[in-house]
Amino acid sequence: MAANLPTQAQVQGGAGVTEPGISHDEHAHHDEHHEQSFLQKYVFSTDHKVIAKQFLITGIIWAIIGGTLSSLFRLQLGWPESTFEWLSPFLGKWIEAGKLNPEFYLALVTMHGTIMVFFVLTAGLSGTFSNFLIPLQIGARDMASGFMNMLSYWFFFASSVVMFVSLFLETGPASAGWTIYPPLSALPQAIPGSGAGQTFWLVSMALFIVSQLLGGVNYITTVINLRTQGMSMSKLPLTIWAFFLTAILGLLSFPVLFSAALLLIFDRSFGTSFFLSDIYIAGQALPNTGGSPILFQHLFWFLGHPEVYIVIMPAMGMVSEILATNARKPIFGYRAMIGSLLGISLLSFIVWAHHMFVTGMNPFLGSVFMFLTLIIAVPSAVKTFNWLATLWRGNIRFTSAMLFSIGFVSLFIAGGLTGIVLGNAALDIQMHNTYFVVAHFHLVMGSSAFFGLFAGVYHWFPKMFGRMLDEKLGYVHFWLTFLGVYLVFLPMHYVGIAGFPRRYYAWTGFDSFSQFADLNKFISAAAIIAFFAQFVFIFNFFYSIFRGRRATENPWNSTTLEWTTPVVPGHGNWPGAIPAVHRWPYDYSKPGAAEDFIPQHIPYSQTQSSNLPYEKEME
């Protein structure tokens, strides 16, 4: 019965409905059969669903690479006295006398951070689900510009190729940290990784930013202009609000990083001194004067802090959707959730300097940024409270997607609490550049966003591929990952409080740290096990694409528009007219309703027994 509802309503509610600015003729055109070559259909496609899958699979490949790099440097950190001769066939000259080369260690840390933050959690997460869900959930045939959408992916692909090639350079990839602070990154002669590897990094990031801007303009335009009839902003699913605001953040902040990268290229290649001044190398004074490396930090973190929310907000939106669906309850505080997303978006632009408390900034200015940073806990707490209230007394279905969503909330709370510590200038100065910081952002941003990504894949996989992921493998994947994340990052907070500095090749030279050697080994073992647990997901993902159980149109009994499309939506998404929207997206377990969900396109005239007093006027 549930599976039939969307189809019936699509006919009843969707007849004659058009998007603003799109004619019936254009709709009819969409319904025509299009003969496309393999290249047009799967490679240079302008279909948002294919592009979403391209982003997803490229992101998975990058996640494997990024995870492999972290396993390599965790081997070094956990067992600094061991030899790794067995890695020589893979790493070649970077294994010297059985030991990992210290310069290469820095490169591993740098590339791991870059890959995970930008290529996996920005492109792989937002690129995948913004592309896949925006047209489907707002009721549009495709993105506003399919061509720009295609370009967005291929700029990302070109960026990926350049970054990947840099791994094999003679002098190694970039090594100045994912924040690429000058002067280390500005002086090619500083370390091997500041040479060609850094140039490749900058070129790759420039291409990546172009990709993000093309995608962002498209997402914003699509949400504003192509919503189906009745889909007002107050009826948008929270996923779309999250994607929409994320795109605005990216559009306003990525150009600042682009300018920083451009000025850095000038300093490296054309003798300018935007970020350089009064530097001596081997007793020789460089001619650069007047520049400021702190300027670079301001520019970097003006993007860097919104980037945290560019990564996490799409996950917040998807988790809100999945929690409501699987708790069979309306999302608690829908408007408050939108308000908190708006609040987080606004505040994310005025807190960047809390990353710079130790740069010598005026203490008064530091206290202003501290105050603003702590305020951001308010909208974050609103969201957390609303997620928990949504779960409270819900009729919860523990699907894999639901487990990862609950895991997301858990990690967001755990990582958010330590964020309050680091937002306080007096405490941050003590913790700066220790493993406490590493543990904090891996919990609240890295792991949380990964959990949101997994939740999204498990939830929308049936609509992407027409088949179901194996739930049992999903449970194994969840529990190994959930336990692994906590076993890695809880102890890491402790070693951070003990003073362990990040980015150090080894701590064996410090007697005071020797008592933590076993704990460090434990963290490394947990990290490597958690990494290998991800292959359960990868097997499940690729196996289920071809051999998974066949899905129905609406396997989760959800209310949003994407579940009214055929099992696997074709070109144009809906074979006939696009359904109109009559209600908000969270009508679950409504008293008096025939089912425990009422899709958005069902008119109030068909649900008279469950309509609230104010809804009777809309019958």
Side-chain angles (χ1 to χ4, degrees):
M1 286 187 299
N4 291 335
L5 251 179
T7 309
Q8 293 165 358
Q10 182 174 314
V11 174
Q12 292 162 355
V17 175
T18 60
E19 304 147 293
I22 293 185
S23 69
H24 284 283
D25 289 342
E26 284 170 294
H27 281 164
H29 176 71
H30 276 291
D31 298 337
E32 291 172 3
H33 183 62
H34 291 261
E35 285 296 337
Q36 292 179 311
S37 67
F38 179 85
L39 283 178
Q40 287 175 319
K41 191 170 183 181
Y42 297 109
V43 182
F44 299 107
S45 174
T46 56
D47 188 311
H48 69 101
K49 301 178 291 297
V50 176
I51 293 169
K53 292 172 192 172
Q54 290 174 327
F55 270 108
L56 178 59
I57 291 174
T58 311
I60 289 174
I61 294 169
W62 271 121
I64 295 170
I65 296 172
T68 304
L69 300 186
S70 70
S71 297
L72 288 174
F73 67 71
R74 280 311 318 182
L75 279 175
Q76 162 62 31
L77 293 174
W79 294 273
E81 306 292 353
S82 301
T83 57
F84 302 107
E85 200 63 57
W86 56 277
L87 286 172
S88 293
F90 308 103
L91 301 182
K93 68 171 187 174
W94 300 116
I95 298 293
E96 296 173 341
K99 296 285 187 184
L100 194 66
N101 180 291
E103 303 283 2
F104 189 62
Y105 170 83
L106 292 176
L108 290 175
V109 175
T110 301
M111 296 303 286
H112 167 74
T114 302
I115 288 168
M116 289 304 195
V117 171
F118 293 112
F119 289 15
V120 179
L121 295 178
T122 303
L125 173 54
S126 186
T128 298
F129 289 102
S130 295
N131 267 302
F132 191 74
L133 290 178
I134 286 177
L136 288 174
Q137 288 199 333
I138 67 170
R141 298 288 182 192
D142 206 315
M143 285 289 181
S145 169
F147 180 69
M148 276 176 63
N149 213 17
M150 180 189 73
L151 281 183
S152 169
Y153 173 74
W154 284 104
F155 268 100
F156 168 55
F157 185 82
S159 160
S160 296
V161 169
V162 174
M163 193 65 83
F164 185 73
V165 168
S166 79
L167 293 170
F168 303 96
L169 291 173
E170 179 70 19
T171 52
S175 308
W178 80 278
T179 53
I180 60 159
Y181 284 169
L184 188 59
S185 60
L187 300 171
Q189 66 273 41
I191 55 173
S194 293
Q198 189 63 59
T199 303
F200 273 59
W201 193 99
L202 290 165
V203 171
S204 171
M205 287 309 299
L207 293 169
F208 181 86
I209 292 168
V210 173
S211 159
Q212 290 301 301
L213 297 181
L214 286 169
V217 168
N218 222 0
Y219 304 152
I220 294 167
T221 310
T222 305
V223 172
I224 291 177
N225 289 319
L226 296 188
R227 301 189 310 277
T228 188
Q229 182 176 319
M231 181 64 88
S232 62
M233 295 299 278
S234 61
K235 291 192 178 75
L236 283 179
L238 289 173
T239 41
I240 302 302
W241 270 106
F243 298 148
F244 178 61
L245 293 171
T246 299
I248 293 174
L249 285 188
L251 217 56
L252 294 176
S253 59
F254 268 114
V256 180
L257 178 65
F258 187 84
S259 70
L262 197 62
L263 297 182
L264 190 55
I265 290 172
F266 282 4
D267 276 7
R268 287 171 55 82
S269 306
F270 302 112
T272 58
S273 302
F274 292 105
F275 307 127
L276 297 172
S277 185
D278 304 320
I279 295 175
Y280 291 80
I281 291 185
Q284 297 292 318
L286 298 186
N288 308 85
T289 56
S292 168
I294 303 298
L295 170 63
F296 180 88
Q297 292 196 29
H298 280 292
L299 294 174
F300 181 88
W301 286 113
F302 191 82
L303 164 278
H305 199 79
E307 171 66 16
V308 171
Y309 299 102
I310 289 170
V311 164
I312 199 76
M313 286 210 311
M316 287 176 168
M318 293 193 296
V319 162
S320 302
E321 186 78 23
I322 295 167
L323 287 178
T325 301
N326 289 292
R328 313 309 291 167
K329 279 182 65 184
I331 192 78
F332 187 88
Y334 172 74
R335 289 178 188 274
M337 293 292 255
I338 296 171
S340 57
L341 282 174
L342 287 166
I344 289 171
S345 302
L346 177 66
L347 287 168
S348 71
F349 279 109
I350 49 178
V351 297
W352 77 90
H354 73 221
H355 297 274
M356 301 166 56
F357 285 141
V358 298
T359 57
M361 71 164 60
N362 185 310
F364 174 74
L365 193 59
S367 65
V368 172
F369 277 104
M370 180 181 78
F371 178 71
L372 293 169
T373 300
L374 295 181
I375 286 179
I376 215 166
V378 176
S380 302
V382 169
K383 296 195 78 64
T384 306
F385 177 82
N386 288 356
W387 287 322
L388 295 177
T390 302
L391 290 172
W392 178 252
R393 303 186 73 176
N395 185 18
I396 296 175
R397 301 184 308 197
F398 288 103
T399 63
S400 300
M402 185 62 161
L403 288 176
F404 274 103
S405 298
I406 295 171
F408 169 92
V409 177
S410 162
L411 293 170
F412 187 71
I413 293 171
L417 289 175
T418 53
I420 296 172
V421 174
L422 294 174
N424 186 311
L427 295 173
D428 178 81
I429 288 169
Q430 301 300 316
M431 301 290 185
H432 188 79
N433 256 352
T434 67
Y435 267 80
F436 189 89
V437 180
V438 177
H440 159 69
F441 71 72
H442 273 86
L443 271 187
V444 77
M445 186 183 90
S447 302
S448 296
F450 257 108
F451 271 54
L453 172 64
F454 287 134
V457 173
Y458 280 104
H459 191 73
W460 280 287
F461 188 89
K463 194 51 67 181
M464 286 182 171
F465 299 103
R467 292 177 184 268
M468 307 292 288
L469 281 166
D470 187 281
E471 282 290 302
K472 289 180 181 170
L473 287 178
Y475 296 152
V476 172
H477 175 222
F478 168 76
W479 283 111
L480 288 176
T481 308
F482 185 72
L483 293 174
V485 165
Y486 273 113
L487 290 177
V488 171
F489 297 115
L490 279 184
M492 197 177 281
H493 283 91
Y494 185 66
V495 298
I497 292 171
F500 272 56
R502 63 193 289 202
R503 296 187 180 128
Y504 273 40
Y505 172 71
W507 299 293
T508 47
F510 304 91
D511 289 339
S512 57
F513 293 154
S514 59
Q515 59 182 311
F516 298 104
D518 288 345
L519 189 56
N520 223 359
K521 199 174 294 181
F522 176 81
I523 293 171
S524 287
I528 292 168
I529 292 170
F531 169 62
F532 279 104
Q534 305 316 305
F535 287 93
V536 175
F537 167 75
I538 291 167
F539 169 78
N540 194 5
F541 181 86
F542 287 105
Y543 179 84
S544 298
I545 288 176
F546 304 103
R547 298 292 182 88
R549 182 165 55 87
R550 291 192 183 279
T552 57
E553 278 185 4
N554 188 1
W556 314 122
N557 290 344
S558 293
T559 55
T560 40
L561 282 187
E562 75 272 26
W563 304 105
T564 65
T565 61
V567 175
V568 179
H571 182 63
N573 295 335
W574 285 268
I578 299 176
V581 164
H582 299 276
R583 58 183 72 229
W584 78 320
Y586 300 105
D587 262 346
Y588 289 106
S589 300
K590 202 170 181 184
E595 301 280 351
D596 71 346
F597 71 109
I598 307 176
Q600 276 192 285
H601 62 282
I602 302 296
Y604 286 105
S605 59
Q606 295 183 21
T607 58
Q608 292 178 353
S609 61
S610 63
N611 289 347
L612 298 172
Y614 74 92
E615 292 169 341
K616 292 188 181 299
E617 300 168 5
M618 295 180 270
E619 291 177 1

